[in-house]
């Protein structure tokens, strides 16, 4: 598979990952190398990664606790301190080996420590492979508000090695799958059709679908790296999805939703809004809902919680001058941004989701 090139980064696949990494490490001559893992990726992925490194380097491992709950500034402070204690300087390298939490947080640490050191993303979850590790978005949550603090700055390279997926729980695979479905919905109907028929997919197909998903994402972020216009498409399903995710994060007595699980709900609701405000047909809305509910569990959102979820929309990063903006679909494969939606219609989208079985 040919590497996929963006403005400042490059995504390598399969064995080529390690050829590229070994040659980069040899040439770059870093003063020190750090690898950020969480306890899961240390256990399941580190040995495979290190077996691929050809030369002896003194690599310091920094391990954090897994989970979105740790994607915060306190975790950053402790890692900045570790880097300082080990004398990391501006020629140091940080390698992020993990899912979206590790690549988002590690990227942010690298972009801010001594005003920026080089970093490499090695995504180990499907979500990080097709989305989080590509395009240079880094950051942390602020309380329950997702990705409120961060910067956009691309990694030196992204290494996509689907071997890592062998250790991933099914719900985590599905979480990444949500972003692949999104890529089809916003940009490419043919890709959507392919990816939505899970029953026909083999493991070999998965490699190609990951590759095609990265192509879609990379094309968008290369054209609009700082989200002035078309990068907003990537937020389809995320306006309501993030609010729902944040709501459930702050209510531990309710079910915990993975990112992709919340985005899956958001895509159904925003698909519904698209059918009411734009030209998504009833048939396409039915297809979107059916495909998503075949893969993701239906969540019973209590109508009493709608108000609190809607209040969270005010923090969405696409908002401007107090307006809440949505990305909606003209049709499957064609998105549009800066759409406004009335509160009444948002309530109707909750009711639509609730009516599905
Ligand atoms: N995950 C959305 C973006 O990278 O813009």
């Amino acid at each position: 598979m040919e590497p996929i090139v963006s403005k400042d980064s490059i995504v390598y696949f399969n064995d080529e990952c390690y050829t590229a990494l070994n040659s980069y490490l040899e040439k770059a001559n870093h003063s020190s190398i750090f690898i950020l893992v969480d306890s899961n990726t240390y256990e399941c992925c580190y040995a495979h990664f290190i077996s691929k490194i050809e030369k002896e380097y003194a690599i310091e491992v920094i391990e954090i606790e897994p989970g979105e709950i740790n994607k915060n500034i306190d975790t950053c402070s402790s890692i900045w301190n570790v880097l300082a204690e080990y004398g990391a300087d501006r020629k140091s390298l940080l390698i992020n080996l993990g899912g979206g939490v590790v690549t988002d947080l590690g990227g942010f640490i690298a972009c801010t420590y001594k005003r920026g050191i080089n970093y490499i993303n090695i995504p180990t979850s499907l979500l990080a492979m097709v989305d989080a590790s590509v395009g240079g978005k880094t950051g942390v949550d602020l309380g329950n508000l997702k990705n409120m603090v961060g910067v956009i700055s691309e990694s030196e390279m992204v290494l996509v090695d689907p071997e890592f997926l062998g250790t991933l729980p099914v719900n985590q695979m599905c979480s990444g799958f949500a972003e692949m479905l999104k890529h089809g919905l916003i940009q490419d109907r043919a890709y959507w059709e392919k990816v939505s028929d899970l029953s026909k997919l083999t493991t070999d197909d998965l490699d190609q679908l990951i590759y095609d998903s990265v192509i879609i994402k990379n094309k968008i972020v290369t054209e609009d790296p700082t989200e002035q216009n078309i990068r907003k498409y990537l937020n389809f399903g995320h306006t309501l999805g993030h609010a729902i995710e944040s709501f459930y994060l702050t209510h531990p007595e309710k079910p915990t939703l993975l990112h992709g699980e919340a985005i899956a709900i958001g895509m159904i609701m925003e698909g519904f809004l698209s059918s009411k405000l734009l030209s998504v047909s009833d048939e396409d809305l039915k297809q979107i809902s059916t495909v998503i509910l075949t893969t993701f569990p239906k969540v019973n959102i209590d109508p009493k919680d709608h108000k609190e979820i809607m209040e969270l929309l005010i923090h969405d990063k696409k908002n401007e001058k107090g307006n809440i903006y949505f990305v909606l679909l003209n049709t499957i494969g064609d998105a549009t941004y800066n759409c406004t939606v009335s509160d009444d219609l948002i309530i109707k989208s909750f009711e639509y989701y609730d009516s599905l079985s």
Side-chain angles (χ1 to χ4, degrees), residues 131-132 134-137 179 182 217 221 227 231-232 234-235 238:
D131 187 27
V134 178
K137 272 195 184 173
E179 300 291 354
K182 179 195 77 183
K217 170 140 194 198
V221 300
E227 203 170 301
R231 188 164 183 166
K232 292 178 187 175
L234 293 167
N235 294 313
H238 284 61

Side-chain angles (χ1 to χ4, degrees), residues 51 95 133 140 185 189 220 247 277 288 344:
S51 73
I95 298 175
S133 68
V140 292
L185 287 172
R189 185 170 197 127
I220 292 175
F247 173 80
L277 296 171
I288 294 169
D344 283 353

